[in-house]
Amino acid sequence: EEQKRLLEQRPDQPPQPRVLRIAIIGAPNAGKSTLCNQLLGRKVFPVSKKVHTSRCKARGVITHEDTQLIILDTPGLTNPLKAKRHNLDEAMLTDPWDSMKHADLVLVLVDVSDHWTRNSLSKEVLRCLSQFPHIPSVLVLNKVDVLKKKFLLLEIATDLTEGIVNGKKLEVKSSPKQDSRSSVKVPLHPTQASPAESKVPGSPFGQERNQEAQEGSGLDRSSDAGAAGTGERPQHRGVRGLKDMKGWPHFQEIFMLAALRGEEVDTLKRYLLMQAKPGPWEFHSEVLTSQSPQEICDNIIREKLLEYLPLEVPYGVTQVTQVWEEGECGELLIVQSLLVPRESHKRMLIGRGGKVISRIAQEAGQDLMNAFLCEVRLKLKVEVKG
């Protein structure tokens, strides 16, 4: 009830409010929800090693002084064939595109630990960027802590940007051996690709940036000529033009971080706060997410199902909340039925001696306590559909 009241309440606007709507896109399992949770400072989005944990568009809200960041955590960009395989509904294909329409800035997240996909953006991501070329975009390389050979970051960054960032060509120059723990300091040096032109009207990147954010980008700027963007909106490319592209040459910045460990997330957060433009807040300052408590609960339980059930089994589970009650001492009692299509799936979910379902209930209950900041008693029942 309190969350519903806050969402319906008019935002408590400061005298000079600033706002930035951020769409985070990328391949499934790139770490979008993990990054969102780190930026928010609390776990409200589901996280799993399996793809398509996020099933819908949800918003996270960061309010800092006079600035509000609205993060649009979107499902991983996928295609109709994969959507059908994982029993995903139509919204999984349209939500990322809807988020882009409302965004002031787009973060493209790439998992650098995946050696199969890290050197090229997926066709879905490239198609999305080419459809909205007027929206400033930033490349975020995630899971850099997993990458043992840090010099590969230079190659990856060059491939994903086609060697151009903020209108400047990237030059890889020899430098002293980097600390293997370093996640952002890479010897990339942008040099001017073309004469500096006028700033993009209305672009949040026309502002001066403080030294901290420039260091966090991992790019050593040889001059200020490109700091305001290229001044030229990238031209729309058709699907044919995308076939020969591995990267996107119109990124404004590159950030390198480890979202799971929180490395360099604050640097990205400071940068985002600086890009906010004058405008009214959309949410009350106490709102952390647009999701209802029930949606958060469903998502956290689904996260555990994805983690502990094999193959396609968790994608066929239907969740039905039967009880949602607040006790006399403020504790929350939740009873949820998990409906599965087959008896064999029921046995997998319960596990030998009920170990699997007990572990899911225990871990989900703990996450819910951390999310709701109250005592939670969670009971899960497993039943065969029909």
Side-chain angles (χ1 to χ4, degrees), residues 137-284:
S137 56
V138 171
L139 176 64
V140 179
L141 303 183
N142 188 27
K143 307 184 187 179
V144 296
D145 55 321
V146 181
L147 204 62
K148 292 180 180 178
K149 299 175 181 177
K150 298 299 181 190
F151 67 86
L152 288 174
L153 288 171
L154 308 177
E155 179 188 312
I156 294 167
T158 303
D159 286 344
L160 296 180
T161 62
E162 296 200 338
I164 299 174
V165 175
N166 210 1
K168 295 179 178 182
K169 288 183 180 178
L170 289 180
E171 285 187 359
V172 180
K173 295 185 178 179
S174 60
S175 67
K177 191 172 182 180
Q178 300 290 328
D179 181 347
S180 61
R181 293 170 297 173
S182 172
S183 58
V184 293
K185 292 178 174 58
V186 291
L188 289 176
H189 299 259
T191 57
Q192 193 65 36
S194 58
E197 300 175 26
S198 60
K199 297 175 184 178
V200 181
S203 168
F205 298 90
Q207 308 164 25
E208 267 190 48
R209 296 172 180 151
N210 67 21
Q211 191 62 31
E212 278 185 320
Q214 286 200 18
E215 288 173 1
S217 72
L219 297 177
D220 177 21
R221 302 200 175 282
S222 54
S223 71
D224 293 331
T230 62
E232 183 180 346
R233 294 177 188 270
Q235 298 298 312
H236 170 76
R237 294 195 187 218
V239 177
R240 285 186 181 178
L242 298 177
K243 284 183 180 179
D244 302 323
M245 293 176 66
K246 289 175 64 178
W248 182 246
H250 307 295
F251 286 120
Q252 302 276 352
E253 295 280 0
I254 303 176
F255 285 85
M256 302 184 183
L257 49 80
L260 190 61
R261 293 168 57 176
E263 278 185 25
E264 298 302 330
V265 173
D266 279 345
T267 306
L268 175 61
K269 188 174 178 178
R270 286 195 298 271
Y271 171 83
L272 295 174
L273 288 167
M274 283 194 303
Q275 305 314 312
K277 298 179 290 187
W281 287 359
E282 287 187 26
F283 297 93
H284 190 277

Side-chain angles (χ1 to χ4, degrees), residues 91-126:
M92 292 289 283
L93 296 172
T94 59
D95 276 352
W97 298 85
D98 290 340
S99 292
M100 289 289 288
K101 290 175 186 174
H102 299 101
D104 303 311
L105 175 70
V106 56
L107 299 184
V108 178
L109 201 63
V110 175
D111 175 5
V112 298
S113 69
D114 188 341
H115 68 277
W116 296 105
T117 61
R118 67 191 178 199
N119 285 93
S120 62
L121 297 174
S122 72
K123 288 295 177 258
E124 286 80 22
V125 168
L126 284 170

